[in-house]
Structure formats: C-alpha cells, structure tokens
C-alpha cells in the first residue's frame, strides 16, 4: 500500500533473538521479565506448573526476579544466555548435632531469608542467631607436623568452633544421611549416601532427596530435640582441626554472605552446607518452646569442648562430661517411656468399633470420670521400707538408727517399727521445698540421702541411709519428686529411678567385664588431651564423682546447665580475625568480636584493649582497599583484614550483634514484622546506604 505524500512512517521497535536454555525467543529491549516468561512458557507448550521457576543469568550471577523490570534495565543483550530453573532446590544441610537432612531451600532469596524459612520448618526459634557455612577444604593430616609445644600455643587462642570436625558425621536417622568430605559431589538423584572412607564403608542410610520438609513434617520433638546416641570414640580421631591460629581465623571467612542468595554464592543443588549458630547472643531460651533449639545449641557447644576448640580446665571438663552423661541417660530413659506410650496408643487405635462406641457412650453419661477417679485411687501408692536415720548435732558420733519410713504424696513419716505405722509417728516431714542431695560413694558402698529441711533458723540437715543400690534409687527418686510437690504415681518417677540405676550399672561395668545396658567410655566424654593424660579407670572415677552433683537434673535442665557453664568460659563467643592495625608497627594482630565488645589481642590471645559496642558511633568499609574504620567515643580505629579475609564478613558480624541487641525492643516472633526485621538486618550488615 503506498504511503501518502507528507506522512512519515513510524519504524517498529528493534527485535532480536534471546536464548533461554535451548529455546530462542524473539524479544525487544523494552520487554519486561514477566512478559518474557509468559512467552517462554507458551512456546514450551508443556503442561507443567512453572510457578516456582524464574530466570537465572549465569554470566552476571543474578536472579531476574523483578518481573516488572525490562531487559534493558537488567542490561541483557542478544549475546546473553539465560536459564529457566526452579527457585527451590534440594540441599544437604548438616545440623549442629552432625545429622544431615535433605531439604528444599529457596535459592533465589537472601541467606537471611532462606535460614529463617529453614529454621521455621525445623522448629527452631530466633533464626537470626544462625547462618550457613561453607564446607571447609580438607587438609591432609599427614602434612600436619608440629611440635607439642607449638600445638599447645596454637590451641591457646580465641576462636569459634570446629566446623571441619562437624563434617565427619556418622549419625543416621530416617531422614539423615552420612557424610564424608570426599564425597561432596552434586548429583540429581541419590537414594543412599555412602562413606567413601574404607573405615566407614559399611555405614550407610537412606536419603529422602525426593522429599522436602513440607512433606516430611517434623512435628515430633524426638527427631531433632534428642540426638541419637552414637559412639564418639571412633569419631573424635577423625575430626579435622586447624593446626595454627591463621587457619582458625580463616574458618570465620567461610560464612555465607547473608545479603545474597545461595545461587549467587556458587551453591548448587545437592551441595552440603553447614547450619550453625553464628552469633553468640541467645535470646529467650524457653524449655517449653525451644526443645529443638536447645538441643542443637547444646550439640554445637559439646563439639567445641570435645574438639578442644575452646579451652577449659580439667575440673570444668569433668563437669561437662558429667552433664553429657546425664543428658544421654535421660534421653535413653525418655525414649523407653515414649515407646511404651506408643504401644499403649497403638493398642487403643486397634480397638474394635464396639469398644469405641462403648467408650463414647460412657463419656457422654459421665461414667468415664467415675472410672478414672476409682482407677486413680486404686493406683495411689505409698512407699514403705526400713531405713536408717541420723540428725547431725555438735559433739555427737554419727550413729544411724533404724526406723520404718512411709512416704505418701509429699509427706514423709517414720515410726519405731512396722507395727507402729498406724499410730502417731515419731516425726512428720513436709518434703515440699526441701533440698534432696545425694551423699553416696559407690566404691565404698555408701548410699545416703541428705535432706535439707527449711525452718525458721535456716536449713536443718537430716541423713537417711539405704542398704542397697535399688533401695537408694527408689527412695531418692521419690524424695526428689516429693520436694517438687509431685508424687510417685507420675511416669517421671520410673525415669528418674532407672537413670540412677543406670549410674550404678556403669560403675560396675568399669570393674566387671559383663555386658550391661549402659557402658561408659570416658574417652567419648572428654577431649583427646584429657583422655591421654589419665587411664580409663581414673577417668571413669572422676566423671562419676562429678555426676553425683548433676544426677538430679532432667535432660533439658542438664542441657541448660551445660550451656550456662559453656558461656562462663573466658574464651566463649569470641570470633577472631587476623588484621593489621594502622596505628601499630606489628604486622599481625587479632581482632576479636563478641556480642557486646571488640577486642584487640596479640597473636597469642592476650587482650590488649577492649571497645564496647554500645559506645560505637559508626563503622564503615572502604571497599577499594578493604580498610575498616570504626569510630568510638573520642577514638577511631582502622585496620585491614589479612589472609584473604573478607571485610564484608567482619562488617556483618558487627552489624548483626547490634541488630541482636535491639531484640528487647523489637518483637522478633511477630510474623507481620518479618520483612521489616530483614530490612533492618540488611541495613546493618550489608553496608546499605
């Protein structure tokens, strides 16, 4: 058609070909990413749900997730190559307790957002305390030759935790996979992960890579709140530890950048990464809500102690070992009780329809309540037996007298003999609020219980002596429950009693070669340095002596006590970096970052100066020369990270601790503020302006 004279033609926009995987799309620079995805899906002509797909630009190493942006805004040209891939992919995630889970993670969001989603699926509160860690490079152990003195100097430093040691996991579960550093290879379909090392070749477990945590619901706290009991003796020699201070400081450079995604940091599908507590500021540890969180935190603390990553005295090591022993005993006892409950529930689930209808009818008529009351009255039990009693007084010999004791609810009474038990007792003691302390010596066959009874004048002491191990376990378990206002009808009574009997079994195992249920191996509870210093029998004696002071704790209380003792260590929670201060002539010094302070230290770990974070005015990074500048009250410090340590990593540590200090004023559990919390975290850690 001819164009009329005087009318100009409007040229059409220039178009060009863009390759997405193996598909060629005709596009223009003004085309939006959303329109491009629609055309791609229409051209593929495949009946598939592409809602989880997005465009990835490998050369620029970025996701094209902003669907409103155009190709020109992203800078995409005809020679660009894009891929259309899923945003959620399978990763193998190693937890602090060394178990490896195959889960689905979002590869398109920041590490902070990805960790928050992972922790929500796992049931771990306050995900801002955790982060993801790259797998360290494996060092040949044959090349690590240093003198004992040099090794002691190297380990007398301030550092965080041994992530390399954690990578040698041998624990297995229904959703766990064993891990070996030599088998870290991306693969699309895997059902079994095998240890490449010949010493572990016979250990394997099924990996459910085809399932996600959305499918495998972890509602039962037993999965992650209780770590399976596995021998540590074979694991400790294979833990890889850095031999010098520089290698230890480099471990902190392995943390993934919280402001960018997994894909942007070269993490591929089926790669193994480590989930660890990165920031040592633990907020609101609630035993009722944080069973999984407390257990994982305890496991990370335990490995830092056993691998000698954090220094402690021998007495502290024995206390750690005793608490670890009590936790394992309590975990075993709770497993037995839970299995018994499962059997009862299974029997009830398999009842026939007539029994179910009868149960429903009785409940509607109120007969069930009457039956429950009668059953409760019938099962109400007393504890009666002959024991020996002594009340310490000045200038008197310790002589125990034999009496007939009766424990009913929280009341303890005793009589001259059994025939007088229905008459007026010699004394009636209210156990509620009393302190029940063990006073036993297994080797001397001394089984006494110390009662500290509150009175107007203070605490009155009473000693009760038992004859046998069984009698001691029965009575001290009952007295402990009574002191808390509970009776022996509760299931926790049998748990407490069995745990005490297990202690006696473990003690007997050190002198007898008979096979028993619990067999203590002290090298699994202490560091390698301590286990080499003492013989097995000596270690067993010392651990059991320390155990008497913590045997009255339940599993959660023992874990919290372990964490409390861990936090009281001088080297706790200090992340170190090798830096060069501008105002110093020394080539290398240490910068330590804790939850509330910065430390300037020598290369031997001695503190030179301390700056409190609360007095910090500003901190910034010169990204060209990697120089960090921090301004305090009347003082400004400048330093340069050494040994390829990323300045961004130090910047993130400082900003994150400031963010965590603000949690008392910000509701971290409020889902409505999750985006605001992430924005604030990124502003403080990602050097945003």
């Amino acid at each position: 058609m001819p164009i009329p004279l005087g009318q100009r033609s409007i040229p059409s926009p220039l178009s060009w070909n863009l390759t997405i995987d193996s598909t060629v799309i005709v596009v223009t620079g003004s085309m939006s990413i959303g329109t491009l995805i629609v055309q791609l899906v229409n051209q593929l002509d495949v009946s598939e749900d592409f809602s989880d797909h997005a465009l990835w630009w490998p050369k620029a190493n970025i996701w094209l997730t902003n669907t409103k942006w155009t190709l020109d805004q992203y800078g995409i040209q005809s020679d660009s190559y894009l891929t259309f891939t899923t945003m959620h992919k399978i990763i193998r995630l190693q937890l602090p307790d060394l178990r490896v889970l195959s889960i689905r993670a979002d590869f398109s969001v920041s590490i902070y957002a990805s960790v928050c989603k992972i922790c929500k699926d796992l049931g771990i509160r306050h995900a801002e305390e955790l982060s993801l860690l790259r797998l360290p490079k494996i060092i040949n152990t044959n090349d690590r030759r240093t003198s004992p003195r040099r090794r002691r100097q190297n380990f007398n430093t301030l550092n965080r935790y041994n992530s390399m040691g954690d990578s040698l996991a041998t624990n297995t579960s229904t959703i766990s996979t064993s891990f070996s550093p030599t088998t870290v290879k991306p693969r699309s379909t895997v059902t079994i992960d095998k240890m490449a090392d010949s010493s572990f070749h016979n250990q394997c477990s099924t990996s459910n890579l085809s399932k996600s945590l959305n499918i495998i619901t972890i509602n039962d706290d037993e999965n992650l709140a209780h770590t399976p009991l596995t021998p540590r003796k074979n694991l400790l020699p294979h833990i890889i530890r850095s031999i010098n201070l520089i290698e230890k400081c480099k471990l902190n450079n392995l943390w993934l950048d919280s402001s960018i995604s997994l894909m942007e940091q070269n993490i591929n599908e089926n790669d193994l990464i480590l989930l660890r507590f990165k920031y040592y500021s633990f907020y609101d540890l609630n035993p009722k809500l944080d069973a999984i969180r407390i257990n994982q935190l305890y496991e990370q603390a335990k490995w830092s102690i056993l691998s000698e990553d954090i220094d402690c005295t021998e007495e502290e090591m024995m206390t750690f070992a005793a608490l670890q022993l009590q936790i394992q005993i309590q975990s075993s006892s709770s497993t037995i009780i839970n299995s018994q409950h499962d059997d009862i529930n299974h029997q009830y689930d398999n009842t026939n329809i007539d029994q179910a209808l009868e149960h429903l009818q009785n409940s509607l008529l109120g007969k069930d309540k009457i039956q429950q009351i009668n059953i409760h009255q019938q099962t109400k039990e007393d504890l009666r037996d002959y024991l020996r009693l002594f009340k310490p007084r000045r200038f008197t010999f310790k002589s125990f007298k034999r009496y007939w004791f009766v424990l009913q609810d929280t009341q303890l009474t005793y009589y001259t003999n059994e025939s007088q038990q229905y008459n007026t007792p010699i004394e009636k003691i209210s156990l509620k609020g009393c302190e029940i302390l063990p006073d036993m010596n297994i080797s001397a066959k001394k089984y006494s219980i110390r009662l500290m009874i509150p009175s107007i004048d203070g605490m009155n002491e009473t000693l009760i002596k038992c004859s046998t191990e069984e009698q001691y376990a029965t009575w001290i378990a009952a007295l402990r429950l009574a002191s808390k206002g509970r009776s022996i009808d509760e299931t926790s009574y049998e748990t407490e009693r069995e745990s005490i009997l297990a202690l006696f079994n473990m003690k007997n195992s050190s002198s007898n070669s008979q096979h028993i249920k619990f067999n203590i191996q002290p090298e699994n509870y202490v560091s390698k340095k301590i286990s080499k210093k003492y013989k097995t029998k000596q270690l067993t004696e010392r651990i059991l002596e320390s155990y008497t002071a913590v045997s009255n704790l339940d599993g959660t209380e023992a874990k919290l006590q372990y964490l409390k003792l861990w936090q009281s260590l001088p080297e706790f929670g200090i992340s170190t970096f090798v830096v060069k201060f501008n105002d110093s002539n020394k080539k290398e010094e240490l910068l330590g970052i804790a939850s509330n302070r910065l430390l300037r230290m020598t290369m031997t770990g001695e503190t030179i100066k301390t700056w409190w974070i609360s007095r910090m005015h500003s901190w910034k990074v010169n990204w060209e020369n990697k120089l960090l500048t921090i301004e305090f009250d009347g003082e400004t410090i400048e330093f340069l990270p050494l040994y390829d340590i990323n300045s961004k990593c130090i910047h993130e540590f400082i900003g994150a601790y400031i963010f965590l200090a603000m949690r008392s004023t910000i509701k971290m559990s409020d889902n409505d503020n999750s985006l605001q919390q992430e924005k604030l975290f990124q502003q403080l850690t990602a050097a945003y302006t």
Side-chain angles (χ1 to χ4, degrees):
M1 179 177 180
I3 300 176
L5 187 63
Q7 183 177 354
R8 300 177 61 183
S9 62
I10 302 176
S12 60
L14 296 177
S15 60
W16 37 276
N17 295 333
L18 177 64
T19 303
I20 303 177
D21 293 329
S22 58
T23 305
V24 179
I25 307 293
V26 180
V27 299
T28 61
S30 60
M31 180 180 293
S32 66
I33 299 298
T35 305
L36 176 61
I37 292 177
V38 171
Q39 290 193 12
L40 175 63
V41 172
N42 292 335
Q43 189 166 338
L44 291 176
D45 194 20
V46 178
S47 58
E48 185 179 345
D49 184 11
F50 293 100
S51 59
D52 190 43
H53 284 63
L55 291 174
W56 167 257
W57 190 2
K59 185 177 180 180
N61 198 38
I62 59 173
W63 285 94
L64 309 180
T65 54
N66 193 340
T67 56
K68 294 182 180 180
W69 274 31
T70 63
L71 298 179
D72 288 340
Q73 287 178 295
Y74 272 113
I76 298 175
Q77 300 177 356
S78 59
D79 59 344
S80 301
Y81 176 80
L82 307 179
T83 60
F84 192 53
T85 181
T86 57
M87 293 180 288
H88 288 79
K89 301 178 185 294
I90 296 293
I91 60 170
R92 292 185 298 148
L93 185 72
Q94 188 189 71
L95 303 181
D97 66 352
L98 307 186
R99 279 182 285 185
V100 179
L101 306 181
S102 297
I103 67 173
R104 292 181 67 87
D106 196 339
F107 276 57
S108 63
V109 297
S110 65
I111 294 295
Y112 178 89
S114 182
V115 170
C116 288
K117 181 61 171 63
I118 290 173
C119 290
K120 184 179 180 181
D121 291 337
L122 296 177
I124 301 176
R125 294 197 311 150
H126 298 292
E128 64 273 5
E129 299 170 357
L130 297 93
S131 190
L132 299 177
L133 194 68
R134 291 182 184 275
L135 190 67
K137 293 182 180 179
I138 304 303
I139 304 172
N140 188 2
T141 57
N142 296 328
D143 296 336
R144 301 187 298 172
R145 298 175 182 175
T146 55
S147 63
R149 177 177 297 179
R150 177 62 178 169
R151 182 177 294 275
R152 285 195 297 269
Q153 292 176 353
N154 291 335
F155 280 104
N156 188 22
T157 56
L158 303 179
N159 50 79
R160 302 195 63 257
Y161 56 87
N162 188 359
S163 58
M164 291 190 294
D166 292 352
S167 62
L168 293 174
T170 57
N171 296 343
T172 57
S173 63
T174 55
I175 55 174
S176 303
T177 61
S178 299
F179 162 66
S180 172
T182 58
T183 59
V184 183
K185 297 180 180 179
R187 49 193 183 275
S188 56
T189 57
V190 176
T191 56
I192 298 178
D193 290 340
K194 296 183 178 180
M195 304 293 292
D197 193 348
S198 60
S199 62
F200 298 101
H201 187 70
N202 57 346
Q203 300 182 11
C204 62
S205 62
T206 304
S207 173
N208 299 320
L209 289 179
S210 60
K211 299 181 180 180
S212 67
L213 286 180
N214 297 328
I215 301 175
I216 305 177
T217 57
I218 307 182
N219 295 326
D220 189 0
D221 286 347
E222 286 186 353
N223 287 326
L224 299 178
H226 301 286
T227 302
L229 303 180
T230 55
R232 304 299 186 189
K233 181 179 178 180
N234 297 330
L235 182 61
L236 287 175
H238 295 273
I239 292 180
I240 301 176
R241 295 172 292 180
S242 53
I243 63 172
N244 55 51
L245 181 62
I246 296 175
E247 288 184 7
K248 290 185 177 182
C249 293
K250 283 183 178 181
L251 291 178
N252 289 320
N253 201 38
L254 297 173
W255 290 104
L256 296 181
D257 192 336
S258 297
S259 60
I260 56 180
S261 65
L262 288 166
M263 199 88 159
E264 292 170 309
Q265 302 186 63
N266 299 322
I267 303 297
N268 300 316
E269 188 173 7
N270 294 328
D271 279 359
L272 185 131
I273 54 178
L274 315 179
L275 178 68
R276 296 291 185 269
F277 287 87
K278 180 179 181 180
Y279 307 110
Y280 287 74
S281 177
F282 313 123
Y283 182 71
D284 188 24
L285 279 175
N286 191 333
K288 296 181 179 179
L289 303 176
D290 293 325
I292 297 176
R293 179 184 174 208
I294 290 174
N295 181 65
Q296 298 300 321
L297 187 55
Y298 153 73
E299 287 290 329
Q300 183 165 325
K302 181 185 71 176
W303 279 108
S304 68
I305 297 296
L306 295 181
S307 62
E308 302 176 12
D309 188 63
I310 185 170
D311 192 24
C312 64
T313 63
E314 288 188 12
E315 293 298 325
E316 290 170 337
M317 180 66 73
M318 296 307 160
T319 305
F320 281 125
L323 289 169
Q324 181 183 345
L325 178 61
Q326 174 66 2
I327 291 168
Q328 291 192 358
I329 292 175
Q330 292 291 326
S331 178
S332 301
S333 302
S334 61
T335 302
I336 296 173
I337 291 178
N338 290 332
S339 63
Q340 292 175 354
H341 285 311
D342 292 340
D343 294 339
I344 295 173
N345 295 332
H346 179 70
Q347 293 175 2
Y348 180 77
D349 293 338
N350 292 336
T351 54
N352 54 34
I353 298 176
D354 294 336
Q355 292 177 343
L357 292 174
E358 183 179 357
H359 174 72
L360 177 61
Q361 182 180 2
N362 292 336
S363 63
L364 293 175
L365 295 176
K367 295 181 179 180
D368 273 357
K369 295 182 179 180
I370 299 174
Q371 292 177 358
Q372 290 176 2
I373 294 174
N374 294 334
I375 292 173
H376 182 71
Q377 291 177 350
Q378 292 174 2
T379 57
K380 202 74 173 179
E381 295 182 359
D382 300 336
L383 202 58
R384 304 167 185 265
D385 204 347
Y386 277 106
L387 303 172
R388 296 182 179 273
L389 180 136
F390 168 71
K391 291 187 177 182
R393 294 184 180 89
R394 287 187 175 183
F395 310 113
T396 59
F397 294 101
K398 181 181 282 189
S399 60
F400 288 87
K401 291 186 178 181
R402 188 169 178 262
Y403 296 101
W404 176 258
F405 281 81
V406 177
L407 175 62
Q408 187 173 14
D409 292 333
T410 60
Q411 296 291 330
L412 178 66
T413 57
Y414 60 94
Y415 307 84
T416 306
N417 50 53
E418 185 178 357
S419 62
Q420 300 292 326
Q421 62 180 325
Y422 298 106
N423 298 331
T424 303
I426 298 176
E427 185 180 5
K428 180 181 291 186
I429 303 174
S430 178
L431 295 174
K432 193 171 183 180
C434 295
E435 293 185 18
I436 311 298
L437 304 176
D439 185 15
M440 68 170 182
N441 189 330
I442 302 177
S443 58
K445 295 185 178 181
K446 173 187 174 183
Y447 312 109
S448 299
I449 304 171
R450 192 180 301 272
L451 272 67
M452 304 300 294
I453 306 170
S455 65
I456 300 176
D457 300 330
M459 302 294 285
N460 294 331
E461 182 180 1
T462 300
L463 289 175
I464 297 177
K465 187 176 182 180
C466 302
S467 302
T468 62
E469 297 175 355
E470 292 77 8
Q471 189 182 50
Y472 173 83
T474 300
W475 278 90
I476 193 171
L479 293 176
R480 283 173 178 170
L481 283 176
S483 66
K484 300 176 183 178
R486 297 153 66 182
S487 65
I488 61 175
D489 293 334
E490 301 183 13
T491 56
S492 57
Y493 165 70
E494 284 297 329
T495 304
E496 181 78 11
R497 182 177 176 274
E498 290 296 329
S499 65
I500 297 171
L501 289 175
L503 170 65
F504 294 115
N505 290 336
M506 285 184 288
K507 169 59 183 175
N508 296 332
S509 68
S510 61
S511 57
N512 300 329
S513 59
Q514 299 177 357
H515 177 73
I516 58 173
K517 183 177 181 181
F518 294 96
N519 183 19
I520 180 173
Q521 297 178 348
E523 62 271 14
N524 298 330
Y525 299 89
V526 297
S527 63
K528 188 176 181 180
K529 180 175 63 176
I530 299 296
S531 62
K532 285 185 175 181
K533 187 175 180 180
Y534 297 97
K535 295 181 180 180
T536 302
K537 186 177 181 180
Q538 293 175 330
L539 273 179
T540 303
E541 291 287 345
R542 295 195 62 181
I543 293 175
L544 293 179
E545 286 177 3
S546 300
Y547 178 81
T548 58
V550 300
S551 59
N552 60 332
L553 302 176
D554 61 25
T556 303
E557 291 174 347
K559 290 177 183 178
L560 291 175
Q561 187 67 24
Y562 195 103
L563 295 177
K564 185 178 180 180
L565 181 59
W566 179 50
Q567 290 174 314
S568 66
L569 297 177
E571 300 179 3
F572 164 78
I574 300 178
S575 307
T576 55
F577 301 89
V578 182
V579 299
K580 169 69 172 63
F581 285 91
N582 282 358
D583 61 348
S584 175
N585 296 327
K586 296 182 179 180
K587 294 182 180 180
E588 298 176 356
E589 289 183 276
L590 287 181
L591 174 71
I593 304 178
S595 61
N596 57 353
R597 66 195 186 279
L598 302 182
L599 303 172
R600 182 174 181 175
M601 299 176 292
T602 63
M603 292 301 292
T604 58
E606 298 178 1
T607 301
I608 302 175
K609 192 170 184 179
T610 301
W611 300 280
W612 299 99
I613 293 180
S614 59
R615 297 184 178 181
M616 182 187 299
H617 290 176
S618 64
W619 77 102
K620 58 183 178 180
V621 181
N622 187 331
W623 299 110
E624 294 182 0
N625 56 17
K626 300 181 180 180
L627 186 68
L628 283 90
T629 304
I630 304 177
E631 182 181 354
F632 295 93
D633 292 337
E635 184 179 6
T636 301
I637 61 173
E638 292 182 343
F639 54 88
L640 182 69
L642 303 179
Y643 297 101
D644 297 328
I645 295 177
N646 193 353
S647 302
K648 173 64 169 58
C649 184
I650 300 178
H651 184 282
E652 184 171 323
F653 264 98
I654 298 174
Y657 276 127
I658 295 176
F659 173 79
L660 298 179
M662 302 170 62
R663 288 186 291 188
S664 59
T665 59
I666 301 177
K667 294 182 179 180
M668 290 298 177
S669 60
D670 191 356
N671 295 328
D672 297 335
N673 295 329
S674 59
L675 295 178
Q676 297 179 5
Q677 294 167 13
E678 182 180 0
K679 182 179 179 181
L680 177 61
F681 182 87
Q682 300 296 359
Q683 288 175 345
L684 291 171
T685 60
Y688 284 177
T689 57

